[in-house]
Amino acid sequence: MLMRTDPFRELDRFAQQVFGTPAPGTWSKPAPMPLDAYRAGDEFVVSFDLPGVDPGAIELDVERNVLTVKAERRPLPTGDDVRLQISERPLGVFSRQLFLGDTLDTDRIAADYDQGVLTLRIPIAERAKPRRIAVTGAKTERQQIQA
């Protein structure tokens, strides 16, 4: 599996550390979301950190072998009598694209969102699993015909 990366991502991280809180992601320039990816048995598992995101604000799309995950963290509703004291949680749009190899079955992706973590389980395609091929020889076939 290959991941599409933004060449300016490290520069953005550095700017966040130096200047404080990150700028919110927008639909035209979404912020990246952290992920873990691993293989467990016959499936590939990818977990995205999306705390505070409503499950209805998560979009998953697969086109050919490209998986796109987009999510939006919206501000909490406030009333007229509410004054914000501290705001450190990043808001806005988050996105990540992954290139999935031909060995994964993109038709059977399962998605689960629990406690702020979006977990995708992508099965390994049957054609990519190791299999044993029986070898027959001409001598074996002749012996069966004569018997």
Side-chain angles (χ1 to χ4, degrees), residues 3-144:
M3 287 186 249
R4 180 178 291 176
T5 58
D6 182 359
F8 298 105
R9 187 171 181 180
E10 291 302 317
L11 182 61
D12 287 343
R13 270 194 203 148
F14 177 71
Q16 288 174 13
Q17 290 173 350
V18 172
F19 300 115
T21 60
T26 62
W27 284 103
S28 60
K29 187 181 183 320
M33 65 184 83
L35 69 84
D36 289 334
Y38 56 92
R39 182 174 174 168
D42 286 341
E43 64 184 6
F44 191 74
V45 181
V46 185
S47 297
F48 299 90
D49 277 349
L50 294 170
V53 174
D54 183 82
I58 300 173
E59 294 179 12
L60 295 172
D61 295 309
V62 176
E63 185 176 341
R64 297 188 185 182
N65 285 357
V66 179
L67 171 71
T68 303
V69 180
K70 272 194 172 180
E72 182 176 9
R73 184 179 300 126
R74 298 177 180 115
L76 296 173
T78 58
D80 293 335
D81 61 340
V82 177
R83 289 183 294 170
L84 189 62
Q85 299 297 313
I86 298 172
S87 179
E88 293 181 349
R89 297 174 54 216
L91 301 175
V93 179
F94 302 87
S95 179
R96 198 73 183 255
Q97 282 190 321
L98 304 176
F99 289 99
L100 306 177
D102 292 333
T103 60
L104 299 176
D105 188 354
T106 58
D107 293 331
R108 297 189 308 140
I109 296 175
D112 179 55
Y113 184 72
D114 186 37
Q115 297 183 2
V117 178
L118 173 66
T119 302
L120 304 180
R121 296 185 178 280
I122 310 166
I124 305 296
E126 289 298 321
R127 67 183 177 275
K129 292 181 182 176
R131 61 192 177 281
R132 194 170 291 274
I133 299 171
V135 178
T136 60
K139 193 174 193 179
T140 307
E141 290 177 11
R142 284 189 212 134
Q143 289 174 352
Q144 290 176 351

